[in-house]
Amino acid sequence: MAVPARTCGASRPGEARTPRPWPGPGAQRPAPRPPRPLLLLLPPLLLLSLLAAPGASAYSFPQQHTMQHWARRLEQEIDGVMRIFGGVQHLREIYKDNRNLFEVQENEPQKLVEKVAGDIESLLDRKVQALKRLADAAENFQKAHRWQDNIKEEDIMYYDAKADAELDDPESEDMERGSKASTLRLDFLEDPNFKNKVNYSYTAVQIPTDIYKGSTVILNELNWTEALENVFIENRRQDPTLLWQVFGSATGVTRYYPATPWRAPKKIDLYDVRRRPWYIQGASSPKDMVIIVDVSGSVSGLTLKLMKTSVCEMLDTLSDDDYVNVASFNEKAQPVSCFTHLVQANVHNKKVFKEAVQGMVAKGTTGYKAGFEYAFDQLQNSNITRANCNKMIMMFTDGGEDRVQDVFEKYNWPNRTVRVFTFSVGQHNYDVTPLQWMACANKGYYFEIPSIGAIRINTQEYLDVLGRPMVLAGKEAKQVQWTNVYEDALGLGLVLTGTLPVFNLTQDGPGEKKNQLILGVMGIDVALSDIKRLTPNYTLGANGYVFAIDLNGYVLLHPNLKPQTTNFQEPVTLDFLDAELEDENKEEIRRSMIDGNKGHRQIRTLVKSLDERYIDEVMRNYTWVPIRSTNYSLGLVLPPYSTFYLQANLSDQILQVKYFEFLLPSSFESEGHVFIAPREYCKDLNASDNNTEFLKNFIELMEKVTPDSKQCNNFLLHNLILDTGITQQLVERVWRDQDLNTYSLLAVFAATDGGITRVFPNKAAEDWTENPEPFNASFYRRSLDNHGYVFKPPHQDTLLRPLELENDTVGVLVSTAVELSLGGRTLRPAVVGVKLDLEAWAEKFKVLASNRTHQDQPQKCGPSSHCEMDCEVNNEDLLCVLIDDGGFLVLSNQNHQWDQVGRFFSEVDANLMLALYNNSFYTRKESFDYQADCAPQPPGNLGAAPRGVFVPTIADFLNLAWWTSAAAWSLFQQLLCGLIYHSWFQADPAEAEGSPEARESSCVMKQTQYYFGSVNASYNAIIDCGNCSRLFHAQRLTNTNLLFVVAEKPLCSQCEAGRLLQKETHCILPPPLPRRPRPSHPACPLRATAASLTTHARPADGPEQCELVQRPRYRRGPHICFDYNATEDTSDCGRGASFPPSLSVLVSLQLLLLLGLPPRPQPQVHAHASRRL
């Protein structure tokens, strides 16, 4: 047969190339490469003449004009069906006929965004006033309080928020010690505002597990803070919308109002208010911190583990306003990670540090000079972005003799602009005087960490030192700061918190210096949902929205802010450029907003579809203004078609009743099924995830109230009822008189901005799977953004079985927006469409792409007469498909591919998809989802990596730590380290189960979407691979999102190396320790978002964090820095321990361990080990 040789191969994957048109007869094909079949050695003109010779004994590949003819037939058929059944023109006429029932309103972006910003400012200002009352009252209460040295537990009455949980736990601290505190027993009532049971008459107290409740300091703290209860109550009386009011004490005590039981985990509660993002932000100004760790040979075993854990705990005291770097030193200093300078202390960078710290190895000799010189050089580097406030060096060591005075004289004296904090780690017999001297000579503090129990306390108390200049600054430092979004520990959801520091106003005596201690931080929460209520809900259309960012560029309002984790230990830090698809225009908008400017800009940009399968290029109008008295900026995004919207005006109650009747299920059989958007139409309307039940609740409520009732949203109700009547008229004028089966349609439908989705006929609603809220339906939003007909095949998950093609159950949606022009104002208030019967339209597709002249007369080609192949007769040799703009299969002439409709086409024909991509029919867009979550690694026989902990796994150790001396406790640790190494530094499954950190952790998902490239014409091309080739033709169908592709079916498989595969989105965890094979149950659940497309079936490494920090995004820190005060008293700078260990005992113990115990098994490190810090 005179047929060109074919291959299933494709060109090597790489950058998109300029398409090569396949010209008509007489042109040459690409130059062949040896070895070639004999046929391909023929001259090109002879080869082409064989292809088109009338006497050839075979079908030839269709000519370009033939395939263009097929494409036109397809376009005409689609357009004809949509004109008849879609009812776009009819719906336009219906709207015009009912012009008296609605008004066209305008969205004025500048006015809108200024109004919303003003409303948010007013809301936050009410919280600020409450904060100031609380802070002033706290300072006065503490000043008037008389310290009691002999205070007893039984003298204090308070509600212990953890008391109920501890009574149920026989191993709890109070049960073991026999607590003498008079703990109140309270009754609670469910409050929907708090999503919790509360008691408005009392406050609750939470005390960290590692703090003894009966200590004199804690009891005095409980005593004076009790008076805050009345202030909390009065604040709520003045502003009933107040949520949690909290005082976080520098001693670790948390007193909050209203009272509610603490949501403690099943095992040890690690919550400490001093490590919460809002407390850290309120307790000190931003920090530039360099952590240096001694890794000389003397630091080994338990001491090195204590250091690693201490560094990780220190990192947890930093927020996104801070900058940090970590280095290790012996004779030389070097960074522990790839970061060569100070980097922002965000979640991603801190994870890099924590993993890198675990790889530190002890060797060499101690060289303090190398460590400090490295740290000072880091702090003096002015060519990088940094906080420029509170410069400090944190040194962890086991001890040494060198004071490196010459280094301090060179870099830090006489101004002492850098504070030095020193930490003596582990049990040793070194002289700690040099370490004390370093701290005292540089306005810092000296701490000792002899055991695990001391880590958390001693790595956070440096904040007291940093708070001194704030306290001494007085009223100037009393500034309310607003945090970014984070997860509330008591179950309120996403909140932001206003903070105000509380200062100690006491003096030691008449004429003495002013006290310079910070008492704590006062905080008031604002639920993100309360701020969202101040923004326009449904007047902006399906694709309009309001967003807000802070000085870091992190969003606190955005429709794409949807964190998957509920780990309240980590703040939600989603950058605006990660919430959307980044481009230069958005970078400039972000910078202007951070700088507090106003602005407006219309841009062409890319947006990701709601189902994350598609990318659309759209026009958007951005308008932004600052929110005064805050560090936030507010933005409004509007598509041009959302400049205007409809507002129903149904004053005629008879008409209201008439239209309302079309919502009753009794009308569905004749008028089609109606889904209503689950919106807050009235206060008393019971919500439900089941739309049938929600409609029932809605109808029952409407029988009691009218659409004009004060308890209802009149705008939403009137628009809903109006759209009910308008869509019913579409049924009456168009759908009811048409035979859907004639055109192989399963259903016709219309969806509106008013919240109505009408599906006809009624039985088709049984298979309707789209979101009943049109604004949350992908087909609705994409139709508004695209001209013409948008095809949406059924979503196929590569991990699930293929489609089950049963009678009339599988369909393809085709939708288009209805554009109205009323008095020169253009808007798109609705989307209409049809649902194609997949099997019937696949058969119709073959006929339309064939040489038939009549429906019942297929053209036959015998061996004696030449004719071109077509998609019907020659489906064994010719592949014909329709692919949508995301690369998903819509229709095929191959019956065996019908159950693959909706899959990424590379899974159907990898080489052909790659050729389409390489010839610029498709463009690839990669992005990262920073809000994903990863499940914990289930316990297995590999064991877990050593983790940083502040308490032993065995709960008894925690209690024992309080009652033993430092020396005895250390001795006990040395003994147990050899005996229970696994259980100590390895995650306890039982404990992990109750720990939020172990339940789930944030990770990054890589996503890749494909969308149409710049090619709009019709092209023939060749897939050239090795010894054979494969012809294909591709052409965009006008007025649709479809690509028509005709190709020779593959006959060989030499070129399957390069593919574009649709795979699960992969978890991108923090950089692991040495990698091991993946377990059979991966730590990252296979979340089958159809948009997660990767070029190779391998875990994605994500954006390289080490490269990202070299080009940091623009940000601004807080406007004022408090890191210096001339009157600061630096004489209190720490002291040594009172219980030096016995060296002889320790030596004897080590000999005993070496001689009398079996070798300690080394724990195996797993890449996905759970860590809890």
Side-chain angles (χ1 to χ4, degrees):
M1 292 193 304
V3 181
R6 292 172 277 173
T7 180
C8 61
S11 53
R12 184 173 55 194
E15 296 301 321
R17 308 178 309 207
T18 303
R20 293 183 296 169
W22 182 250
Q28 292 185 351
R29 301 175 103 172
R33 293 173 298 180
R36 292 290 194 187
L38 180 60
L39 179 61
L40 289 185
L41 297 178
L42 296 174
L45 289 176
L46 176 59
L47 175 60
L48 288 173
S49 65
L50 288 175
L51 289 175
S57 58
Y59 307 116
S60 65
F61 190 78
Q63 296 294 318
Q64 182 167 337
H65 66 83
T66 300
M67 292 180 283
Q68 290 174 338
H69 171 64
W70 296 345
R72 284 193 296 272
R73 292 174 66 178
L74 289 167
E75 293 165 356
Q76 292 168 2
E77 183 71 14
I78 294 169
D79 185 67
V81 170
M82 290 299 292
R83 284 180 181 275
I84 296 173
F85 292 94
V88 174
Q89 187 58 39
H90 293 91
L91 196 54
R92 289 196 188 107
E93 295 173 358
I94 292 172
Y95 274 108
K96 291 179 180 179
D97 292 344
N98 291 274
R99 183 65 183 83
N100 62 314
L101 299 180
F102 61 84
E103 298 174 358
V104 179
Q105 302 290 350
E106 181 178 1
N107 283 315
E108 300 181 65
Q110 194 65 40
K111 290 183 179 179
L112 270 176
V113 74
E114 287 179 352
K115 180 184 183 304
V116 175
D119 291 343
I120 294 176
E121 180 188 357
S122 299
L123 171 69
L124 299 184
D125 185 65
R126 293 196 298 271
K127 317 306 176 188
V128 167
Q129 300 308 314
L131 263 178
K132 291 180 177 178
R133 288 192 293 268
L134 282 169
D136 291 343
E139 290 173 347
N140 293 329
F141 291 152
Q142 196 276 338
K143 185 177 181 179
H145 174 254
R146 183 178 178 181
W147 180 268
Q148 301 179 46
D149 288 324
N150 299 321
I151 192 170
K152 306 293 184 182
E153 288 187 71
E154 51 265 31
D155 299 334
I156 305 298
M157 291 283 293
Y158 69 100
Y159 172 67
D160 184 349
K162 298 194 292 185
D164 294 338
E166 289 172 344
L167 288 174
D168 295 336
D169 182 7
E171 297 181 359
S172 70
E173 176 184 317
D174 284 350
M175 291 297 293
E176 293 176 1
R177 295 180 185 166
S179 176
K180 301 176 182 179
S182 300
T183 300
L184 298 173
R185 295 287 178 263
L186 304 180
D187 296 323
F188 301 95
L189 294 176
E190 191 71 35
D191 190 317
N193 294 323
F194 288 89
K195 303 177 183 179
N196 220 325
K197 293 183 177 180
V198 299
N199 185 307
Y200 281 113
S201 300
Y202 294 92
T203 59
V205 172
Q206 190 273 350
I207 301 175
T209 306
D210 55 343
I211 293 180
Y212 175 40
K213 300 177 183 178
S215 70
T216 303
V217 172
I218 298 301
L219 293 176
N220 275 278
E221 192 85 12
L222 293 173
N223 194 15
W224 76 260
T225 58
E226 182 182 2
L228 290 173
E229 197 166 86
N230 292 331
V231 187
F232 285 140
I233 295 173
E234 176 61 20
N235 271 347
R236 181 177 178 272
R237 188 191 66 79
Q238 295 187 31
D239 183 4
T241 65
L242 281 177
L243 297 176
W244 300 121
Q245 305 175 63
V246 188
F247 174 62
S249 168
T251 62
V253 174
T254 304
R255 187 180 285 273
Y256 59 90
Y257 175 87
T260 190
W262 188 249
R263 299 179 62 177
K266 295 182 180 179
K267 285 289 182 177
I268 299 172
D269 178 24
L270 299 181
Y271 181 93
D272 190 322
V273 69
R274 296 167 295 183
R275 290 177 174 269
R276 299 295 284 137
W278 65 270
Y279 184 95
I280 294 171
Q281 179 173 313
S284 65
S285 294
K287 301 173 277 295
D288 284 326
M289 177 187 291
V290 179
I291 302 173
I292 54 175
V293 186
D294 180 2
V295 292
S296 59
S298 61
V299 178
S300 60
L302 179 60
T303 300
L304 182 59
K305 298 184 191 336
L306 291 175
M307 285 186 180
K308 293 177 179 179
T309 304
S310 298
V311 172
C312 293
E313 291 291 335
M314 179 68 71
L315 290 169
D316 283 340
T317 66
L318 303 178
S319 71
D320 289 81
D321 288 333
D322 304 320
Y323 282 76
V324 65
N325 201 359
V326 182
S328 62
F329 69 90
N330 37 44
E331 302 93 340
K332 297 181 180 180
Q334 60 182 2
V336 298
S337 70
C338 57
F339 301 143
T340 58
H341 55 73
L342 292 173
V343 297
Q344 188 181 19
N346 57 40
V347 171
H348 305 296
N349 289 339
K350 287 193 289 187
K351 284 182 177 180
V352 172
F353 281 127
K354 290 177 182 180
E355 291 295 332
V357 163
Q358 301 304 320
M360 293 190 306
V361 178
K363 61 181 178 180
T365 58
T366 303
Y368 286 160
K369 183 174 183 178
F372 277 108
E373 285 184 338
Y374 177 88
F376 279 113
D377 287 339
Q378 290 277 299
L379 293 172
Q380 290 182 355
N381 185 358
S382 59
N383 296 325
I384 59 169
T385 305
R386 56 181 183 174
N388 286 316
C389 187
N390 274 321
K391 298 178 179 63
M392 67 192 73
I393 299 172
M394 325 296 278
M395 183 182 71
F396 293 87
T397 181
D398 62 344
E401 301 297 330
D402 191 2
R403 299 192 178 201
V404 291
Q405 182 172 339
D406 57 329
V407 176
F408 298 132
E409 290 175 348
K410 176 181 178 182
Y411 290 95
N412 205 35
W413 292 355
N415 296 326
R416 292 173 170 80
T417 57
V418 177
R419 297 183 188 269
V420 175
F421 296 86
T422 55
F423 298 81
S424 175
V425 183
Q427 292 289 350
H428 51 74
N429 210 28
Y430 300 127
D431 182 12
V432 298
T433 304
L435 299 180
Q436 291 176 304
W437 179 88
M438 292 179 193
C440 295
N442 294 279
K443 298 172 64 175
Y445 208 91
Y446 165 75
F447 298 95
E448 287 191 352
I449 303 178
S451 63
I452 290 177
I455 290 178
R456 278 173 66 93
I457 295 176
N458 287 329
T459 54
Q460 67 194 19
E461 289 197 343
Y462 76 93
L463 291 172
D464 292 342
V465 178
L466 300 188
R468 292 172 183 172
M470 291 181 62
V471 178
L472 296 173
K475 292 184 179 179
E476 184 184 357
K478 301 281 289 186
Q479 298 188 6
V480 174
Q481 297 187 68
W482 288 96
T483 69
N484 193 52
V485 179
Y486 67 95
E487 185 79 19
D488 174 50
L490 290 172
L492 199 57
L494 293 180
V495 299
L496 44 103
T497 300
T499 65
L500 194 61
V502 179
F503 301 152
N504 191 330
L505 303 183
T506 61
Q507 292 180 327
D508 295 334
E512 295 292 330
K513 289 185 178 181
K514 182 180 178 181
N515 197 300
Q516 56 185 16
L517 291 178
I518 186 171
L519 291 177
V521 177
M522 200 67 70
I524 288 184
D525 288 346
V526 177
L528 204 59
S529 57
D530 289 342
I531 296 180
K532 288 181 180 178
R533 291 191 186 99
L534 301 177
T535 65
N537 283 332
Y538 300 101
T539 60
L540 303 181
N543 290 315
Y545 57 91
V546 172
F547 70 99
I549 66 173
D550 65 7
L551 294 180
N552 281 303
Y554 298 147
V555 297
L556 58 135
L557 279 181
H558 200 284
N560 294 333
L561 179 63
K562 302 172 183 177
Q564 302 298 314
T565 61
T566 56
N567 183 356
F568 62 78
Q569 297 292 350
E570 295 181 356
V572 180
T573 53
L574 178 65
D575 196 282
F576 169 65
L577 297 179
D578 296 321
E580 304 192 0
L581 293 178
E582 181 177 357
D583 59 39
E584 291 182 1
N585 287 316
K586 291 177 183 176
E587 288 181 14
E588 294 174 5
I589 292 171
R590 177 182 177 275
R591 175 183 285 266
S592 179
M593 294 180 71
I594 290 174
D595 288 339
N597 300 323
K598 293 183 178 180
H600 175 82
R601 180 179 293 188
Q602 184 176 76
I603 66 174
R604 180 169 291 277
T605 186
L606 298 178
V607 297
K608 193 182 298 184
S609 68
L610 196 65
D611 56 10
E612 299 184 329
R613 289 161 65 91
Y614 301 94
I615 296 286
D616 290 312
E617 187 175 9
V618 299
M619 294 297 298
R620 291 289 189 265
N621 293 307
Y622 282 75
T623 308
W624 61 94
V625 297
I627 302 176
R628 290 173 295 183
S629 303
T630 73
N631 290 329
Y632 303 138
S633 185
L634 187 75
L636 171 67
V637 180
L638 269 183
Y641 54 78
S642 292
T643 302
F644 302 97
Y645 64 93
L646 300 184
Q647 180 172 355
N649 183 18
L650 292 178
S651 56
D652 187 343
Q653 295 187 357
I654 296 177
L655 192 61
Q656 288 182 12
V657 174
K658 176 184 176 181
Y659 284 177
F660 179 76
E661 289 177 351
F662 296 126
L663 282 175
L664 301 178
S666 58
S667 69
F668 289 176
E669 195 60 38
S670 61
E671 312 299 334
H673 192 99
V674 175
F675 297 92
I676 68 170
R679 301 174 180 175
E680 296 181 17
Y681 299 102
C682 299
K683 293 180 180 178
D684 295 335
L685 178 59
N686 295 324
S688 175
D689 293 333
N690 184 293
N691 200 260
T692 301
E693 183 178 346
F694 181 76
L695 178 60
K696 178 183 176 183
N697 297 340
F698 176 80
I699 293 172
E700 290 176 352
L701 182 63
M702 288 297 99
E703 291 174 350
K704 302 175 184 177
V705 300
T706 66
D708 299 313
S709 172
K710 292 183 179 180
Q711 66 160 298
C712 297
N713 186 318
N714 303 139
F715 172 81
L716 292 182
L717 270 180
H718 279 251
N719 278 29
L720 180 78
I721 295 173
L722 172 66
D723 286 356
T724 303
I726 285 180
T727 55
Q728 186 277 333
Q729 292 177 45
L730 183 63
V731 176
E732 187 175 346
R733 295 190 189 186
V734 183
W735 295 347
R736 193 183 295 160
D737 297 331
Q738 298 291 342
D739 183 7
L740 301 186
N741 293 328
T742 302
Y743 289 87
S744 305
L745 302 181
L746 298 176
V748 288
F749 61 89
T752 70
D753 279 358
I756 290 293
T757 301
R758 188 179 292 275
V759 180
F760 185 88
N762 183 41
K763 65 177 183 179
E766 298 174 3
D767 299 320
W768 188 259
T769 59
E770 304 302 319
N771 197 310
E773 169 57 81
F775 285 13
N776 292 335
S778 183
F779 82 89
Y780 192 85
R781 295 173 67 163
R782 291 204 72 215
S783 297
L784 295 176
D785 271 334
N786 291 274
H787 293 284
Y789 309 124
V790 178
F791 281 70
K792 179 179 180 290
H795 182 181
Q796 279 236 55
D797 190 330
T798 58
L799 302 177
L800 303 178
R801 60 186 179 183
L803 290 173
E804 296 180 356
L805 294 175
E806 298 180 2
N807 293 333
D808 299 338
T809 58
V810 179
V812 176
L813 289 188
V814 188
S815 57
T816 187
V818 178
E819 186 166 287
L820 296 181
S821 183
L822 302 170
R825 294 170 292 186
T826 302
L827 63 159
R828 299 175 184 172
V831 169
V832 296
V834 301
K835 190 174 185 180
L836 309 180
D837 184 323
L838 174 61
E839 290 186 76
W841 270 79
E843 293 291 348
K844 182 179 295 190
F845 168 59
K846 289 192 288 186
V847 173
L848 293 171
S850 73
N851 297 322
R852 283 201 198 194
T853 56
H854 300 286
Q855 180 74 13
D856 300 323
Q857 296 179 0
Q859 180 176 345
K860 299 293 184 180
C861 293
S864 61
S865 61
H866 170 77
C867 63
E868 297 175 354
M869 291 190 289
D870 66 31
C871 300
E872 181 186 25
V873 175
N874 307 100
N875 60 358
E876 294 182 359
D877 300 302
L878 201 64
L879 172 67
C880 303
V881 291
L882 291 178
I883 313 171
D884 70 14
D885 55 330
F888 298 97
L889 179 62
V890 176
L891 287 175
S892 172
N893 72 330
Q894 306 296 311
N895 294 15
H896 68 276
Q897 292 180 354
W898 291 354
D899 63 354
Q900 299 183 65
V901 166
R903 290 196 173 181
F904 184 54
F905 188 60
S906 189
E907 298 169 25
V908 182
D909 193 323
N911 304 118
L912 184 52
M913 182 63 193
L914 183 59
L916 293 172
Y917 171 70
N918 283 340
N919 283 276
S920 298
F921 285 100
Y922 285 95
T923 300
R924 178 167 56 195
K925 180 66 176 179
E926 292 183 346
S927 60
F928 296 93
D929 177 8
Y930 290 90
Q931 304 178 87
D933 66 304
C934 289
Q937 170 63 29
N941 56 10
L942 290 177
R947 62 178 171 95
V949 294
F950 87 98
V951 289
T953 301
I954 303 176
D956 294 334
F957 290 177
L958 184 64
N959 182 46
L960 186 61
W962 288 107
W963 299 103
T964 58
S965 67
W969 175 231
S970 174
L971 194 74
F972 198 47
Q973 289 183 103
Q974 293 282 349
L975 175 62
L976 292 174
C977 183
L979 293 173
I980 57 168
Y981 184 89
H982 277 314
S983 63
W984 194 352
F985 287 99
Q986 179 174 312
D988 179 4
E991 183 180 20
E993 181 183 359
S995 167
E997 301 95 315
R999 282 199 306 267
E1000 54 191 6
S1001 61
S1002 62
C1003 57
V1004 182
M1005 298 282 192
K1006 183 178 181 179
Q1007 294 184 346
T1008 306
Q1009 285 88 9
Y1010 291 82
Y1011 61 100
F1012 279 155
S1014 57
V1015 178
N1016 292 312
S1018 174
Y1019 282 94
N1020 278 3
I1022 186 170
I1023 304 173
D1024 189 14
C1025 176
N1027 296 330
C1028 45
S1029 61
R1030 182 182 179 193
L1031 291 170
F1032 75 91
H1033 166 91
Q1035 178 175 340
R1036 294 267 296 273
L1037 295 190
T1038 305
N1039 209 35
T1040 74
N1041 66 327
L1042 297 179
L1043 181 69
F1044 176 43
V1045 182
V1046 179
E1048 294 175 305
K1049 292 184 70 174
L1051 291 181
C1052 51
S1053 56
Q1054 291 106 311
C1055 299
E1056 295 186 352
R1059 335 191 135 200
L1060 302 174
L1061 293 180
Q1062 181 187 4
K1063 289 289 182 182
E1064 72 276 8
T1065 31
H1066 296 283
C1067 271
I1068 305 170
L1069 297 170
L1073 293 175
R1075 294 191 177 187
R1076 295 184 181 274
R1078 280 189 160 199
S1080 57
H1081 303 286
C1084 174
L1086 301 181
R1087 194 183 71 175
T1089 53
S1092 50
L1093 315 175
T1094 60
T1095 54
H1096 299 285
R1098 60 173 177 80
D1101 295 328
E1104 179 53 56
Q1105 202 67 23
C1106 303
E1107 296 178 3
L1108 291 180
V1109 297
Q1110 301 301 325
R1111 49 182 191 279
R1113 287 170 172 164
Y1114 180 72
R1115 66 173 296 276
R1116 290 177 60 193
H1119 303 296
I1120 300 180
C1121 170
F1122 296 97
D1123 62 353
Y1124 173 78
N1125 191 290
T1127 64
E1128 179 183 347
D1129 180 8
T1130 61
S1131 59
D1132 182 11
C1133 52
R1135 62 181 185 274
S1138 304
F1139 302 98
S1142 169
L1143 180 61
S1144 59
V1145 173
L1146 288 177
V1147 171
S1148 300
L1149 177 61
Q1150 293 293 348
L1151 290 174
L1152 176 64
L1153 291 172
L1154 290 173
L1155 298 175
L1157 295 177
R1160 183 181 65 195
Q1162 295 299 318
Q1164 291 178 296
V1165 179
H1166 194 275
H1168 298 287
S1170 173
R1171 289 177 171 79
R1172 185 165 63 83
L1173 301 177

